[in-house]
């Protein structure tokens, strides 16, 4: 962007009236959203730039899309159509565009994680029953963090050790209500007792699909005070490689805040006959 501004300055120092008018037309065209809105304008510009194979133009409009908070699945649909219309010769440009987009998204945290953590601590302080605390925490994380499309908790079954039981969640219902330790990404994280981040679930032979839209997943085990796995926090995203190191740090802190409630909810399965 800096280079673009610098070069534009040099162009305008030398420009004749035709170039100057062209530049002001460009500025005026993007000045407001008009009838289609700023986001659609940028997506149209991105698609045209990609089909015309102008890498500089693509990276400029990608940066504008990032500023406007365009979600990755939406951007990917536009890039798909542009590549289709542009033909396979556009693919190298689409490749560079996706790499640039990924880098842009990884630089900026997807949400104000400190604020979300503060709100999670608030929910924990309210001292409601463990199930309600976990349900509220799942809704809070899903609603306040873009790309967290399914947020839920699995609890270690005290009746059948070595089994995870689906606890409170926010998102589409899943058929995976019981998962043995070692099975799927969830079962493996429980067995290993450490966080697992999977950038592309289609490459995982062990993956248990909850929805065909899911592209990446993060699973963070939650421990009892004695150090046993009490359960885990599981996040699915429709974005590929959605979970950055900042997400991982946030999720591990969130899991620590919620650990007493996960442990208590798991303990309560003894009386409730499991899931
Ligand atoms: N994908 C998980 C199963 C749980 S769903 O994502 C909610 C796995 O592979 O273990």
């Amino acid at each position: 962007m800096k280079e673009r501004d610098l070069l534009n300055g040099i162009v305008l120092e030398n420009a004749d009236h035709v170039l100057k008018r062209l530049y002001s037309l460009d500025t005026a065209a993007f000045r407001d959203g008009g009838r289609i809105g700023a986001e659609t304008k940028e997506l149209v510009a991105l698609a045209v730039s990609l089909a015309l194979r102008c890498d500089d133009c693509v990276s400029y409009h990608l940066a504008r899309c990032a500023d406007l908070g365009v979600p990755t699945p939406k951007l990917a649909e536009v890039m798909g159509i542009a590549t289709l219309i542009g033909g396979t010769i556009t693919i190298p440009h689409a490749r560079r565009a996706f790499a640039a987009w990924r880098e842009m998204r990884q630089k900026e945290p997807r949400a104000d994680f400190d604020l979300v953590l503060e709100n999670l601590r608030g929910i924990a302080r309210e001292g409601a029953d463990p199930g309600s605390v976990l349900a509220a925490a799942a809704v809070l994380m899903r609603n306040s963090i873009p790309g967290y499309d399914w947020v839920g908790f699995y609890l270690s079954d005290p009746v059948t050790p070595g089994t995870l039981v689906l606890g409170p969640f926010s998102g589409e219902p899943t058929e995976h209500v019981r998962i043995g330790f070692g099975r799927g990404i969830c079962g493996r994280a429980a067995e290993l007792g450490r966080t697992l981040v999977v950038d592309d679930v289609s490459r995982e032979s062990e993956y248990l699909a909850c929805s065909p839209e899911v592209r990446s997943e993060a699973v963070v085990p939650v421990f009892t005070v004695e150090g046993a796995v009490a359960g885990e926090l599981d996040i699915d995203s429709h974005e590929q490689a959605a979970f950055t190191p900042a997400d991982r740090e946030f999720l591990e802190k969130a899991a620590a805040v919620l650990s007493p409630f996960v442990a208590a909810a798991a303990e309560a399965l003894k009386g409730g006959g499991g899931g």
Side-chain angles (χ1 to χ4, degrees), residues 134-144 148-153 166-174 234-236:
L134 298 182
V139 170
L140 172 75
M141 286 187 264
R142 180 159 171 252
N143 289 346
S144 43
Y148 282 27
D149 297 299
W150 190 96
V151 178
F153 296 89
L166 180 64
F169 66 92
S170 172
E172 292 291 308
T174 171
D234 178 18
I235 321 285
D236 285 347

Side-chain angles (χ1 to χ4, degrees), residues 154 162-164 175-192 196 204-209 217 219 232 234:
Y154 279 91
T163 306
L164 295 162
E175 64 187 71
H176 301 295
V177 291
R178 293 181 74 82
I179 301 175
F181 277 33
R183 287 194 57 238
I185 298 165
C186 290
R188 242 179 338 118
E191 194 176 59
L192 297 169
L196 289 183
E204 286 287 313
S205 53
E206 271 298 313
Y207 173 63
L208 303 172
E217 179 162 5
V219 183
E232 50 193 32
D234 178 18

